[in-house]
Amino acid sequence: MRKNRQMMPEDLPQDRPLDREWLASCVETALDEDLGGRPGRDVTTQATISREAVVRGDVVVREDGVIAGLVVIAEVLAQVAERLGLATPAVTMRATDRDRVTAGTVVASIEG
């Protein structure tokens, strides 16, 4: 564990889920860096894709491995949708953390 520092989720045994408040804060910080402070918008996306568009897509594994952190997908999408004033996309998990997967495995499907 790190000395002289608040305990972080990565310091905890890995049999526990991510702390939701910590995750939300990390995602918000990353989006602020990428999109600018709130409301933070991607002007190219807004200029080229209709607000009414509904798309579907899959999160596909590129290499064999073990799944970890799927909860991050829904958190990122929810925060982006909130910033853009859109409905939160539906996320269907097709795998769970700790699953062993091979390249090409669909681990989540998204619609929104």
Side-chain angles (χ1 to χ4, degrees):
M1 182 175 319
R2 295 176 178 100
K3 292 184 179 181
N4 302 322
R5 192 169 163 201
Q6 179 182 3
M7 185 182 293
M8 299 296 287
E10 61 268 22
D11 296 323
L12 299 172
Q14 295 305 300
D15 61 346
R16 299 181 187 175
L18 287 174
D19 177 270
R20 292 288 186 164
E21 287 182 28
W22 178 86
L23 175 59
S25 176
C26 285
V27 169
E28 182 177 16
T29 297
L31 291 175
D32 285 348
E33 289 175 5
D34 188 43
L35 301 174
R38 286 189 174 270
R41 304 201 188 272
D42 182 335
V43 294
T44 303
T45 299
Q46 289 184 291
T48 59
I49 300 175
S50 165
R51 291 179 60 82
E52 291 78 33
V54 175
V55 296
R56 293 172 190 83
D58 293 324
V59 177
V60 181
V61 174
R62 290 186 184 182
E63 296 184 21
D64 297 356
V66 177
I67 296 299
L70 287 175
V71 67
V72 175
I73 296 169
E75 182 65 32
V76 169
L77 292 173
Q79 286 196 34
V80 169
E82 188 268 327
R83 287 174 184 237
L84 298 176
L86 300 172
T88 301
V91 179
T92 303
M93 295 301 172
R94 308 261 182 228
T96 58
D97 285 354
R98 298 182 183 173
D99 284 355
R100 291 189 179 278
V101 294
T102 57
T105 300
V106 174
V107 296
S109 296
I110 302 164
E111 181 174 344

